[in-house]
Amino acid sequence: MEFHPSIEKADIQEIKLFQEEKLHELLAYLETNSPFYQKLFKENNIHIADIRTLEDLQKIPTTTKNDLQQYNHDFFCITPDKIVDYSTTSGTLGDPVTFGLSDSDLERLAYNEAISFACAGIQKGDVVQMITTIDKRFMAGLAYFLGLRKMGASVVRMGPGIPELQWDSIFRYKPKYLITVPSFLLKMIDYAEKHGLDYKNSSVYGAVCIGESIKNQDFTDNILSQKIKEKWDIKLFSTYASTEMSTAFTECELQIGGHHHPELIITEILDDNGNPVKEGESGELTITTLGVEAIPLLRFKTGDIVTAHYEPCQCGRNTMRLGPVIGRKQQMIKYKGTTLYPPAMNDILNDFNTILCYQIVIQANEIGLDEIIIKLSTEAEHEGFVNEVRDHFRAKLRVSPKIEIIDFDILSKTVFNPNSRKPITFIDLR
């Protein structure tokens, strides 16, 4: 199987024509099999024969997470007996959204991860240690395993947590790559230093980082990435994906954005009015999945604010690249005239070596305005440290949030919840 698809190195116009052909196939499939989109087409008087180009997608209303949650069953295009795996993703209205995958969808998922890992440089025969969960109805861990298996890599399924066991596995099986939430690498480094482990001379060459940003918008290392590399000289690769997309955007060795796979997904970057943004501007990533059998999505608004980069990459791919997620649209904070997203606050808090863990809580105050509360555990002396953190926020973001010092044993239980595959560092109570 080709893990460096030729379509990604094709001419831009050729890629567009290829996607438009795939779009025609999808629209015909939805009109035949999707109760939700059948109704949407009928109510909006949409004739799929009129949708000939990618630009014509603008004639179709977007789909939101609320739609997925309210009409979850109507998105299924196949009968229950054809579902091989059930996954769930968080919804906006409380209950999780159910995703089913057919045998064909699992094959597509494996292909997606295989070409994504190949993009980052992983090859057949490499040993890869998965520091991610593969159970609890999470799609990601299953996708990583299937992709690595398809490309012929060897997998060490460690699961998250327990630095001692992670190091035991590294020294035992000598993985070249790790797949992990990047902040956990700091815990592994801390454990190694305290126990005299020669981690700098381990077999690990690089880590594929999930769930947390490791880059600034100009693709330089952010504070989290810098802190890891100051201690441990390994390559860190960004990857971005979601259950709804069943598709990943992963960096190549040049590390200047996650590459788009045109055979798997159509992307649009839209402003608040649903119009395409100008090149270089940020907007909401809106996706149309290609080749999905159970729950294909058409013009689905992900809620993620991103910037796309279109110049060809020196790796030879001509596909669009996604920059780091600026923030989630629903997590945008308006605080005393300043617009903020959680990743900017994460960078500030990650700058302090004495912070053991933290959680950003957003709530509405008595007059309906956003209020920011930073809960943190620290080894430092409290009063002076609180002022130092507050001053850092003022200098970097021009805001002064409320800061609460919480005992590590108490706060860590909510941050490192065993039912979550990544640290819960942001809670929105608005």
Side-chain angles (χ1 to χ4, degrees):
M1 178 167 286
E2 182 187 22
F3 296 125
H4 296 278
S6 57
I7 187 62
E8 299 183 11
K9 296 186 178 182
D11 176 83
I12 295 296
Q13 188 59 28
E14 187 180 339
I15 292 174
K16 183 175 186 291
L17 292 172
F18 172 86
Q19 288 215 301
E20 287 170 350
E21 185 177 330
K22 293 288 184 183
L23 175 60
H24 299 157
E25 295 172 7
L26 169 67
L27 291 170
Y29 182 78
L30 291 175
E31 190 173 57
T32 304
N33 299 289
S34 172
F36 178 84
Y37 287 109
Q38 287 169 352
K39 184 180 178 184
L40 183 141
F41 293 161
K42 186 176 180 180
E43 289 180 348
N44 292 276
N45 197 28
I46 293 168
H47 302 284
I48 62 170
D50 296 334
I51 312 300
R52 299 185 179 89
T53 67
L54 296 185
E55 290 78 12
D56 289 338
L57 279 169
Q58 286 279 299
K59 299 174 183 177
I60 303 173
T62 55
T63 300
T64 67
K65 283 204 172 189
N66 282 355
D67 294 325
L68 264 179
Q69 196 152 35
Q70 288 182 275
Y71 309 106
N72 201 171
H73 182 74
D74 288 345
F75 280 89
F76 279 79
C77 292
I78 58 176
T79 53
D81 60 303
K82 293 182 179 176
I83 301 292
V84 175
D85 179 79
Y86 283 102
S87 297
T88 53
T89 184
S90 58
T92 56
L93 303 177
D95 290 335
V97 175
T98 296
F99 270 78
L101 291 95
S102 67
D103 192 60
S104 169
D105 291 338
L106 287 176
E107 279 295 318
R108 179 190 176 282
L109 197 63
Y111 170 77
N112 160 70
E113 290 298 343
I115 63 176
S116 296
F117 288 141
C119 187
I122 299 177
Q123 299 177 8
K124 180 179 181 179
D126 285 342
V127 180
V128 182
Q129 184 157 316
M130 283 177 47
I131 309 179
T132 56
T133 186
I134 198 170
D135 55 5
K136 298 177 181 174
R137 303 199 306 259
F138 288 125
M139 184 186 286
L142 176 63
Y144 303 146
F145 175 76
L146 292 174
L148 292 167
R149 175 179 178 269
K150 178 171 277 291
M151 71 188 307
S154 301
V155 186
V156 185
R157 292 181 295 108
M158 281 302 298
I162 319 177
E164 181 180 4
L165 286 181
Q166 303 293 348
W167 283 118
D168 175 77
S169 181
I170 287 170
F171 292 126
R172 189 182 300 270
Y173 302 111
K174 297 179 171 44
K176 185 176 181 181
Y177 292 90
L178 309 176
I179 302 174
T180 182
V181 174
S183 59
F184 185 69
L185 293 174
L186 291 174
K187 295 185 182 300
M188 288 180 60
I189 292 167
D190 182 63
Y191 180 91
E193 289 182 339
K194 287 177 178 176
H195 292 81
L197 302 181
D198 187 16
Y199 68 95
K200 292 183 179 180
N201 290 309
S202 72
S203 60
V204 178
Y205 165 80
V208 176
C209 296
I210 64 170
E212 295 171 335
S213 177
I214 56 170
K215 294 287 177 65
N216 298 313
Q217 288 301 310
D218 63 357
F219 301 118
T220 56
D221 291 336
N222 68 8
I223 291 167
L224 174 58
S225 185
Q226 289 173 28
K227 289 178 75 172
I228 295 166
K229 290 183 177 180
E230 282 168 7
K231 297 276 191 175
W232 197 9
D233 185 22
I234 59 174
K235 290 266 193 178
L236 301 178
F237 296 92
S238 291
T239 187
Y240 161 75
S242 70
T243 299
E244 296 92 346
M245 295 194 297
S246 294
T247 309
F249 294 78
T250 305
E251 289 184 320
C252 67
E253 290 275 1
L254 294 165
Q255 299 191 326
I256 49 172
H259 279 283
H260 170 220
H261 300 308
E263 66 272 46
L264 298 177
I265 198 165
I266 294 169
T267 60
E268 302 172 77
I269 313 293
L270 304 179
D271 64 19
D272 290 341
N273 298 315
N275 299 314
V277 301
K278 294 178 181 176
E279 195 165 316
E281 292 183 353
S282 62
E284 184 172 5
L285 178 65
T286 301
I287 58 96
T288 295
T289 55
L290 301 173
V292 173
E293 189 174 32
I295 303 187
L297 295 175
L298 177 64
R299 303 202 77 212
F300 175 75
K301 298 172 78 172
T302 64
D304 290 327
I305 306 300
V306 298
T307 303
H309 300 263
Y310 297 96
E311 62 277 8
C313 183
Q314 289 183 14
C315 73
R317 293 176 178 85
N318 292 320
T319 49
M320 177 271 286
R321 290 168 288 110
L322 280 186
V325 174
I326 297 167
R328 294 194 61 76
K329 191 170 185 179
Q330 286 196 314
Q331 293 177 353
M332 186 180 79
I333 305 151
K334 295 289 285 186
Y335 187 72
K336 296 181 180 178
T338 301
T339 299
L340 298 172
Y341 289 101
M345 292 187 279
N346 292 341
D347 276 353
I348 288 174
L349 295 166
N350 287 332
D351 209 9
F352 290 91
N353 293 324
T354 51
I355 291 180
L356 302 174
C357 67
Y358 64 84
Q359 194 168 68
I360 301 163
V361 179
I362 309 298
Q363 61 187 32
N365 63 19
E366 62 277 3
I367 58 173
L369 299 177
D370 291 348
E371 185 173 61
I372 304 171
I373 301 169
I374 309 292
K375 298 182 178 183
L376 56 86
S377 300
T378 178
E379 299 171 329
E381 183 270 318
H382 289 178
E383 188 173 341
F385 183 69
V386 166
N387 290 332
E388 189 180 349
V389 173
R390 192 175 286 119
D391 287 345
H392 209 42
F393 267 89
R394 286 196 192 102
K396 296 287 187 180
L397 298 178
R398 304 189 305 281
V399 300
S400 180
K402 183 179 179 182
I403 296 171
E404 296 179 0
I405 303 295
I406 311 289
D407 184 81
F408 177 78
D409 290 338
I410 296 172
L411 185 59
S412 63
K413 288 177 182 176
T414 62
V415 175
F416 305 108
N417 189 315
N419 293 321
S420 175
R421 66 187 178 92
K422 53 191 175 186
I424 302 172
T425 57
F426 181 80
I427 295 179
D428 194 339
L429 300 177
R430 292 173 294 183

